[in-house]
Amino acid sequence: MDGSVYLAYDYPLLGAFWTMLWIFLWILWFVLLFRIIVDIFRDDAMSGWAKAGWLVLVIVLPFVGVLVYVLARGKGMGKRETEHVRAQQTAFESYVRDTAKGAGGTSEVDQLAKLSEIRARGDISDEEFRRAKEKILH
């Protein structure tokens, strides 16, 4: 054993630090590996054969494959991730917008505003307004 290993055994706190560092690096490595695998499948510009080639390289020679992939396609990874997040945000906003609308294409707020206008004109009584409002809100 070399001197740094003896040093880690002489000081238990240093040994714990080195263990935590190695665990952190392994977790970081697996996160990077899985992000690259997801990016390989997410890229629509790559052909099926190119995806298969990158996947084989990343799985068979993981350290070399990941290093080469990050060097060759790392900039595109960020762009694809950004596009994916934007698409998710757009889909979420569209879902919220569609859900907020009522069955007739108007929201509850619009229906209540129209109901208030009708009551203000005197076309319905306060009791009819209350029942209609409960029906809209429930």
Side-chain angles (χ1 to χ4, degrees):
M1 291 192 189
D2 62 352
S4 63
V5 175
Y6 283 126
L7 183 66
Y9 288 116
D10 289 340
Y11 300 99
L13 187 59
L14 187 59
F17 171 75
W18 282 111
T19 302
M20 289 183 347
L21 180 67
W22 281 111
I23 290 171
F24 172 76
L25 290 174
W26 272 105
I27 291 171
L28 184 68
W29 165 251
F30 280 113
V31 168
L32 182 61
L33 181 67
F34 288 119
R35 284 206 53 179
I36 286 174
I37 290 172
V38 167
D39 187 65
I40 288 171
F41 286 109
R42 183 180 288 159
D43 190 4
D44 293 332
M46 260 198 297
S47 69
W49 287 106
K51 288 180 182 185
W54 277 113
L55 197 58
V56 166
L57 182 65
V58 166
I59 291 174
V60 172
L61 298 171
F63 291 108
V64 174
V66 167
L67 180 64
V68 170
Y69 189 85
V70 168
L71 290 174
R73 302 181 51 81
K75 191 172 188 179
M77 281 179 67
K79 290 178 183 177
R80 284 184 290 280
E81 181 69 23
T82 303
E83 290 170 6
H84 179 71
V85 169
R86 282 189 185 141
Q88 279 185 326
Q89 183 66 28
T90 303
F92 175 74
E93 288 171 357
S94 174
Y95 170 76
V96 168
R97 219 175 291 113
D98 293 342
T99 304
K101 290 184 179 183
T106 59
S107 69
E108 292 175 350
V109 174
D110 293 336
Q111 291 176 359
L112 289 173
K114 288 178 185 176
L115 194 60
S116 294
E117 289 175 16
I118 294 171
R119 184 181 70 170
R121 287 192 309 240
D123 294 339
I124 59 173
S125 68
D126 288 336
E127 180 61 29
E128 291 171 323
F129 173 78
R130 186 187 57 75
R131 281 184 282 160
K133 184 172 93 172
E134 286 178 7
K135 185 177 178 183
I136 291 171
L137 295 175
H138 293 294

